[in-house]
Amino acid sequence: MFHRIHILSIILLSNYNYSQEKFIPNKIDEGQITIDGIISEKEWKNAIFVDLDYEVNPGNNIVPKEKTKAYILYSDTHLYIGFYAYAKPSEIRASVRSRDDLGMISDDIVWIAFDTYGDSRNNYILVSNPFGSQLDARAINALTDEDRYDINFNVDHETSGTIVSDGYQVEFKIPFASLPFPNGNNQEWNFNFRRNTFREGIPIELRSQPYDRTAPCQICQTTDKLLLTDIKIEKRVEFLPYLAGNITGSKSNLFDEIKYQKLQPNFGLGFNVDLNKNSSLEVTLNPDFSQVEADVTQIDVNSAVALEYPERRPYFNRGTDIVQYVSGAFYSRSINNPLISTKLISQGKKERLFFLTALDQNSIYQIAGEDRSYLGEGEESFVNVLRYQRLLSKNTRLGFLSTNRYYKNGGYGNLFGTDGWFLLSKNLRFTYEVFLNLNKEPVADWIKSEDNIFGRSVVLDNQNFNGKSLYFQLYRNTEKWRSYLTYRDFSPNFQADVGFVVKNNRRWATLYHTYQVFPNKPALQFLSFGTKADIVYTYEDYLKTISVDAILSVKTLFNTEITYTLDFDAFKNFLGRDYRNLESNRFVIRSSPSESLSLNLNLTVGRDLAYNEAIPEKGKELTFNFIPLIQLSNKLRISPSIRYARLKYLDSDNFYYNGSISRFSIRYQFNNFFNIRIISEYNTFSERFFIQPLIQWNPNPSTVFYIGGNQNSLSEFNDEMYSLFRVDQTQLFLKFQYLLGI
């Protein structure tokens, strides 16, 4: 069967290829290039040149007004790339930023994209602004930028940048040991270069090769060839020890002084070794997975299901692009508090392997229902995750996934499945996911509920059950039209014990169809309008949802994107009750009118249900998130924000809920590695306040030193004395982690 699919893909794509050029750089001795942000003629005299001579946005592969030249050299162990971006210095946007600061997308930046395997599975992205601030990411093929870029991917490399009289210059020094690529001393990689800049406030993107905006696969268009000969492949052997400690203090009564506990020290060790250039083994003992920065609190007052938070732990982010699934089959934060974990990653020319094990000391147990989810935390469990992907051709991939969680005192959750990705033509793509689960509940009191799911009690009482999930999507993109047809199927007893699934018992079809144009005018740079329709049935064949959306999106003056969505639920069934004509209007506005100011506004007005009431009823909804980012200087920025939500009774001035979360952040970036910042937040729903100061030094992706604290108020004291800035509980913490390479 695999052979037939392979032949079919070759036939369908035999007449379809992207343009490409070959570049053979000269080899130099180590130490010839000094990474100081200056393109010295003496140092770079033997470099080959690559011109960025295509404007791909807003122009469509036209000759750009801005001149950009890239330089390439290499040694036995490093690749050297320089950029000379010509511009008026007064028009260059840039700030000194910490590593992987997403604010960099509002700066002038240069990109390097590598597809080292030449198979379009992913692109490795290295980005720098004119001050040498770094952002690196892994790009996969996805429908949106949010899903496409994984900024938790890291490449240990050097950059330096300088603003000069006629533009800016950036130098990259990239160790071959830091990039994944096939075994062998002679390499042929796919690559291209990009530059993002601004012309009279309008964002401009330049590339070193043409870009087809109609293609359904963006990363497939990194096709220029870079040939490197007789390089040295160095195997990494790395140790990552850390030492951490914290002191906590709290009050027993409102007017007591804070009493501090003894210092709680902690230490652990990470170990990473390259088995060969394609494979690495990573082990972590007693890992410290405390986050440097607190999660942005989400408003969950009207959510009937658990909310998903992004993964911020570096260990679980490395290599996990291969286990990203639409159906929620894997969710790394379900591994809550591991005592020990191992991870094997291997990527060859035709296959990829990911194998993760962990002993989780505090297991998360989540049950998905038809309308609600149930969450508990339990005892120890042992976790396995095995993922294998095979490339039948550049345009055909098939994969397998197995996850297992075995609980200490009995019970288990096993999940098995397959997935596939097929580029059927220049404009057409098909993907699928199919999973089966086999479960036996532990006997535990982790979840307390009298609810039942398809005849099975939610209480954990040793029941056996199994389920399935299906996902199919056909996606088409042309110059004028963008469409997809999706079918999702979650059986009533589908559960992913190492995943994130919050609703099941649904058969769900979606049709999305939009028209898009690129006028490339200052006031109208992009326009799209279309519709999305959803219909959902349960396994008992009763209607769950009929929803139709009208969507309008424009890009206009002041680097502004505006999206309006009219979401009309003609019919919705929730907890067995039928509701009709639920309409909401959603506005999303993102704007970066200048280097000093960026704005993000989300506004929803309409009608929704009070989902957490005993008998849910309709109400008048108003929610908005307003997040401005103000750059006061190249090194100082502030970001106040507010998230507000209310649901008002239809027939009175009373509210089902009414509250907000206010947050304020200030950061001073001394250089690319060292910063100090303070975050404060006040939550009116819980009536709690916290403030978190932090000093951080982060010279590379793994080495870090920070010292900071958390100061909180406790809501139980509010009746005795209400004060916005009262501190009832405090924590001081520090951590030093240093990467040792052998």
Side-chain angles (χ1 to χ4, degrees):
M1 179 180 176
F2 285 2
H3 181 64
R4 292 177 181 174
I5 294 173
H6 189 187
I7 292 174
L8 176 62
S9 299
I10 293 173
I11 293 172
L12 289 169
L13 293 158
S14 58
N15 296 319
Y16 179 53
N17 286 294
Y18 292 107
S19 62
Q20 56 186 237
E21 294 184 52
K22 284 191 176 182
F23 295 88
I24 306 175
N26 294 311
K27 197 172 185 181
I28 60 173
D29 295 330
E30 295 290 348
Q32 180 174 318
I33 303 291
T34 301
I35 304 301
D36 54 9
I38 300 295
I39 305 292
S40 164
E41 183 177 348
K42 179 180 179 181
E43 292 178 347
W44 292 89
K45 63 182 179 181
N46 294 321
I48 61 169
F49 305 115
V50 181
D51 291 316
L52 280 68
D53 46 9
Y54 295 93
E55 179 186 313
V56 301
N57 183 46
N60 188 8
N61 296 316
I62 64 174
V63 177
K65 296 179 180 179
E66 296 79 8
K67 180 182 177 182
T68 314
K69 187 177 291 291
Y71 305 75
I72 309 176
L73 290 167
Y74 76 105
S75 65
D76 285 340
T77 57
H78 291 82
L79 180 64
Y80 297 88
I81 295 175
F83 286 90
Y84 200 144
Y86 292 86
K88 294 180 180 179
S90 60
E91 297 178 355
I92 295 172
R93 295 189 181 189
S95 297
V96 180
R97 300 186 183 275
S98 60
R99 204 172 197 281
D100 289 342
D101 182 345
L102 286 177
M104 199 182 301
I105 61 176
S106 298
D107 289 351
D108 279 78
I109 51 177
V110 289
W111 297 44
I112 306 168
F114 291 119
D115 180 359
T116 56
Y117 288 85
D119 54 21
S120 303
R121 276 179 288 185
N122 49 47
N123 282 185
Y124 305 120
I125 307 293
L126 306 182
V127 180
S128 176
N129 72 3
F131 290 116
S133 302
Q134 296 179 0
L135 187 151
D136 45 14
R138 179 193 285 110
I140 61 173
N141 195 41
L143 298 183
T144 65
D145 285 346
E146 182 179 357
D147 296 327
R148 183 174 297 115
Y149 296 108
D150 172 19
I151 66 165
N152 296 298
F153 172 78
N154 288 308
V155 174
D156 189 7
H157 65 290
E158 294 181 48
T159 55
S160 184
T162 304
I163 296 177
V164 295
S165 61
D166 56 352
Y168 67 91
Q169 301 174 353
V170 176
E171 293 179 310
F172 289 79
K173 181 181 180 181
I174 307 163
F176 291 129
S178 293
L179 281 172
F181 56 82
N183 280 316
N185 301 105
N186 299 322
Q187 294 290 318
E188 182 178 300
W189 299 350
N190 289 4
F191 83 102
N192 63 37
F193 297 141
R194 309 171 196 176
R195 174 188 175 187
N196 286 21
T197 186
F198 298 86
R199 187 188 302 148
E200 298 177 353
I202 298 173
I204 309 296
E205 182 179 351
L206 315 179
R207 295 200 181 200
S208 58
Q209 63 177 135
Y211 173 70
D212 183 359
R213 59 175 57 154
T214 70
C217 179
Q218 291 196 15
I219 63 174
C220 300
Q221 301 187 57
T222 302
T223 56
D224 280 347
K225 301 293 184 181
L226 180 65
L227 276 63
L228 308 169
T229 59
D230 198 25
I231 66 171
K232 292 182 179 179
I233 297 179
E234 298 177 335
K235 293 183 180 179
R236 292 176 299 173
V237 179
E238 298 173 339
F239 291 90
L240 191 65
Y242 81 85
L243 179 65
N246 70 84
I247 299 175
T248 60
S250 61
K251 298 177 180 179
S252 299
N253 298 291
L254 174 62
F255 297 105
D256 289 350
E257 292 185 356
I258 292 177
K259 295 182 179 180
Y260 290 90
Q261 306 295 319
K262 292 182 179 180
L263 173 68
Q264 299 293 319
N266 197 14
F267 61 90
L269 178 66
F271 172 70
N272 180 52
V273 59
D274 286 342
L275 305 178
N276 55 46
K277 189 55 192 173
N278 293 332
S279 305
S280 65
L281 175 65
E282 191 170 356
V283 181
T284 181
L285 302 171
N286 192 32
D288 174 43
F289 285 148
S290 58
Q291 295 179 190
V292 174
E293 186 166 316
D295 286 314
V296 176
T297 307
Q298 299 186 48
I299 295 177
D300 61 358
V301 66
N302 199 37
S303 176
V305 298
L307 299 181
E308 185 175 5
Y309 283 87
E311 179 61 86
R312 297 180 183 272
R313 301 172 295 180
Y315 173 83
F316 283 113
N317 277 314
R318 288 190 289 271
T320 53
D321 64 297
I322 194 176
V323 284
Q324 294 181 1
Y325 292 97
V326 176
S327 54
F330 176 75
Y331 178 52
S332 58
R333 285 186 71 148
S334 69
I335 305 172
N336 187 33
N337 183 25
L339 175 64
I340 182 172
S341 180
T342 66
K343 182 171 58 178
L344 175 67
I345 301 173
S346 180
Q347 177 167 323
K349 287 187 175 182
K350 293 295 182 181
E351 66 276 322
R352 293 181 71 186
L353 177 70
F354 175 93
F355 182 47
L356 173 75
T357 68
L359 179 61
D360 195 353
Q361 300 175 93
N362 304 102
S363 307
I364 298 296
Y365 199 93
Q366 182 167 274
I367 300 174
E370 183 180 316
D371 292 305
R372 298 191 185 280
S373 67
Y374 308 84
L375 188 67
E377 182 176 316
E379 57 190 18
E380 285 186 359
S381 65
F382 183 71
V383 174
N384 288 313
V385 179
L386 175 63
R387 164 71 162 146
Y388 176 78
Q389 185 184 66
R390 178 74 179 179
L391 273 73
L392 303 183
S393 75
K394 184 177 180 179
N395 307 296
T396 305
R397 307 170 200 164
L398 292 176
F400 167 80
L401 176 72
S402 169
T403 71
N404 321 96
R405 189 188 286 268
Y406 298 97
Y407 299 95
K408 180 179 180 180
N409 292 319
Y412 56 80
N414 296 321
L415 181 141
F416 310 94
T418 178
D419 62 283
W421 184 94
F422 306 88
L423 191 61
L424 302 177
S425 71
K426 176 183 177 181
N427 303 111
L428 194 62
R429 186 183 73 208
F430 174 72
T431 54
Y432 80 87
E433 298 174 10
V434 177
F435 294 105
L436 302 174
N437 65 287
L438 303 171
N439 290 69
K440 182 176 182 178
E441 294 175 345
V443 178
D445 60 355
W446 306 339
I447 297 176
K448 294 178 172 60
S449 174
E450 297 180 358
D451 293 349
N452 288 275
I453 298 175
F454 228 66
R456 174 171 64 95
S457 64
V458 172
V459 172
L460 304 180
D461 53 6
N462 208 35
Q463 296 180 85
N464 291 281
F465 62 94
N466 57 74
K468 74 175 191 301
S469 77
L470 308 173
Y471 170 83
F472 303 99
Q473 185 183 76
L474 188 64
Y475 172 72
R476 183 174 183 266
N477 189 38
T478 67
E479 184 176 359
K480 300 292 185 182
W481 298 98
R482 187 180 182 202
S483 312
Y484 61 77
L485 176 64
T486 301
Y487 176 73
R488 300 177 180 91
D489 186 313
F490 295 90
S491 71
N493 286 320
F494 179 66
Q495 184 167 307
D497 284 52
V498 197
F500 189 85
V501 179
V502 293
K503 288 185 179 181
N504 55 25
N505 191 22
R506 58 195 59 232
R507 293 183 169 116
W508 179 3
T510 302
L511 176 63
Y512 174 90
H513 191 55
T514 60
Y515 176 78
Q516 57 189 17
V517 291
F518 299 83
N520 296 336
K521 304 295 183 182
L524 188 60
Q525 301 155 32
F526 171 78
L527 169 68
S528 73
F529 55 89
T531 186
K532 181 171 77 74
D534 295 273
I535 185 167
V536 183
Y537 277 86
T538 69
Y539 267 63
E540 300 93 339
D541 288 327
Y542 68 75
L543 183 63
K544 191 71 180 171
T545 303
I546 298 177
S547 177
V548 179
D549 295 356
I551 306 166
L552 173 67
S553 181
V554 298
K555 292 183 181 179
T556 184
L557 297 170
F558 308 114
N559 194 18
T560 300
E561 300 179 31
I562 303 172
T563 300
Y564 167 70
T565 303
L566 171 61
D567 184 350
F568 180 69
D569 291 345
F571 176 86
K572 176 180 285 190
N573 178 279
F574 184 76
L575 297 180
R577 293 168 59 91
D578 294 342
Y579 303 88
R580 288 176 171 80
N581 302 330
L582 291 169
E583 177 186 312
S584 66
N585 301 272
R586 295 197 301 270
F587 298 86
V588 178
I589 302 174
R590 296 185 177 92
S591 181
S592 181
S594 70
E595 179 183 357
S596 303
L597 180 64
S598 297
L599 303 171
N600 193 327
L601 173 66
N602 291 264
L603 172 67
T604 301
V605 180
R607 295 190 176 190
D608 201 1
L609 299 181
Y611 293 102
N612 289 322
E613 294 293 309
I615 300 177
E617 297 290 351
K618 293 181 184 179
K620 297 178 182 178
E621 178 190 21
L622 172 62
T623 66
F624 68 83
N625 299 340
F626 180 57
I627 309 173
L629 179 63
I630 304 167
Q631 195 77 40
L632 299 177
S633 72
N634 288 337
K635 297 183 177 181
L636 177 64
R637 76 170 187 234
I638 61 173
S639 180
S641 67
I642 183 168
R643 293 178 296 284
Y644 174 81
R646 79 178 190 197
L647 190 68
K648 188 177 180 181
Y649 282 76
L650 292 180
D651 54 2
S652 74
D653 290 331
N654 296 323
F655 296 94
Y656 293 104
Y657 57 85
N658 184 15
S660 64
I661 300 175
S662 303
R663 188 178 176 98
F664 182 83
S665 172
I666 181 169
R667 179 190 295 262
Y668 188 84
Q669 193 75 37
F670 293 90
N671 54 42
N672 291 329
F673 312 123
F674 180 57
N675 69 77
I676 181 171
R677 65 115 176 96
I678 299 175
I679 292 175
S680 62
E681 183 177 282
Y682 180 64
N683 187 333
T684 66
F685 293 102
S686 62
E687 295 187 334
R688 293 193 64 180
F689 168 80
F690 83 78
I691 185 168
Q692 185 190 70
L694 185 79
I695 299 172
Q696 181 178 353
W697 175 67
N698 189 194
N700 63 51
S702 299
T703 297
V704 63
F705 171 78
Y706 60 78
I707 181 170
N710 293 303
Q711 284 73 45
N712 310 284
S713 65
L714 298 177
S715 58
E716 51 262 38
F717 293 155
N718 286 344
D719 290 338
E720 299 180 56
M721 185 185 77
Y722 182 79
S723 173
L724 180 62
F725 302 112
R726 193 183 69 244
V727 174
D728 305 316
Q729 189 178 61
T730 186
Q731 179 190 42
L732 303 175
F733 56 84
L734 63 85
K735 178 179 179 180
F736 180 57
Q737 175 177 285
Y738 194 81
L739 180 66
L740 300 172
I742 298 178

